[in-house]
């Protein structure tokens, strides 16, 4: 089944993209409910980041490697590593293994991820519009969160929370479309300005 420009999938193997996108999207929504001050930080967010956003995305990246998809491998393994590193970053001071990061250092950490995501966004120019929406909104999210830390402006974190929920739900939407396209043989919802052809093996 080939249906993404520049992000083709080998129909002989299962497509790990919906798994990785769902892990990313659901975890992003959950964390940004906290950033928007709608829920407090808690174990559910950390557990989701560790298991679904982190480990599961990393596995999806390994499966993309097996499929020969360099972009998918890089995206899922990198963002899986991001979630794992974020949870470790939050726990290290609690365990007494490292001091808490300063706002400037935390801001730099987030802006580096923004730079990486901007590079990945360029790679989506040959993909669907929804891929571009997900990666562009994620770039904006990292920039907002990084600026909020460096400038010590909590209001930017709240703005980032709502923008991040948009990003997360965009990824969930794309994951659902990809999953259902593979299951029923057609896309029931738009992912591009122009419909993408889908080839279903006989």
């Amino acid at each position: 089944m080939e249906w993404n420009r520049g992000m083709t999938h080998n129909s002989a193997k299962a497509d790990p993209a919906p798994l990785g996108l769902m892990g990313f999207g659901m975890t992003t929504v959950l964390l940004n409910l906290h950033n928007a001050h709608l829920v407090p930080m808690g174990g559910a967010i950390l557990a989701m980041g560790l298991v679904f956003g982190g480990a599961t995305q990393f596995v999806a990246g390994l499966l993309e490697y097996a499929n020969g998809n360099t972009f998918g491998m890089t995206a899922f393994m990198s963002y899986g590593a991001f979630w794992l590193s974020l949870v470790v970053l939050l726990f290290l001071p609690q365990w007494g293994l490292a001091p808490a990061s300063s706002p400037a250092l935390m801001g730099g950490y987030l802006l580096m991820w923004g730079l990486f995501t901007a590079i990945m966004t360029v790679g989506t120019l040959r993909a669907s519009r929804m891929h571009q929406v997900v990666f562009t909104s994620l770039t904006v999210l990292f920039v907002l969160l990084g600026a909020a830390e460096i400038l010590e402006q909590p209001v930017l974190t709240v703005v980032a929370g709502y923008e991040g929920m948009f990003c997360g739900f965009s990824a969930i939407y794309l994951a659902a479309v990809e999953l259902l396209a593979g299951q029923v043989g057609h896309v029931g919802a738009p992912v591009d300005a122009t419909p993408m052809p889908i080839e279903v093996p006989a």
Side-chain angles (χ1 to χ4, degrees):
M1 177 175 60
E2 181 177 324
W3 56 282
N4 282 331
R5 288 188 301 243
M7 296 182 184
T8 57
H9 171 61
N10 182 354
S11 62
K13 298 180 180 179
D15 185 2
L19 174 65
L21 284 166
M22 198 66 78
F24 167 79
M26 291 175 60
T27 310
T28 299
V29 169
L30 197 60
L31 177 61
N32 282 287
L33 287 171
H34 165 69
N35 287 336
H37 293 176
L38 298 177
V39 299
M41 176 61 77
I45 296 174
L46 296 174
M48 183 76 103
L50 186 65
V51 178
F52 201 28
T56 302
Q57 264 203 103
F58 201 87
V59 169
L62 290 174
L63 295 174
E64 289 285 24
Y65 170 80
N67 284 341
N69 185 343
T70 301
F71 185 94
M73 176 200 70
T74 304
F76 290 136
M77 293 185 74
S78 296
Y79 293 119
F82 163 75
W83 284 110
L84 293 171
S85 70
L86 182 62
V87 173
V88 170
L89 187 155
L90 295 174
F91 271 113
L92 284 178
Q94 302 297 322
W95 294 335
L97 298 176
S101 298
S102 67
L105 181 56
M106 191 66 186
Y109 166 84
L110 293 165
L111 289 177
M112 283 297 97
W113 280 105
L115 174 61
F116 169 76
T117 305
I119 294 169
M120 296 298 286
T121 301
V122 175
T124 66
L125 296 179
R126 296 185 59 215
S128 72
R129 290 288 183 268
M130 279 309 303
H131 283 90
Q132 295 166 25
V133 168
V134 170
F135 280 86
T136 299
S137 61
L138 182 58
T139 302
V140 174
L141 174 60
F142 278 127
V143 170
L144 285 172
L145 290 173
E149 291 289 335
I150 292 172
L151 300 176
E152 299 188 52
Q153 293 293 324
V155 66
L156 287 178
T157 301
V158 176
V159 172
Y162 286 99
E163 199 276 343
M165 283 188 280
F166 170 79
C167 174
F169 279 121
S170 297
I172 292 171
Y173 172 84
L174 181 57
V177 171
E178 293 194 3
L179 178 65
L180 296 176
Q183 187 69 16
V184 302
H186 65 85
V187 177
V191 295
D192 209 338
T194 56
M196 297 301 299
I198 297 176
E199 298 176 9
V200 180

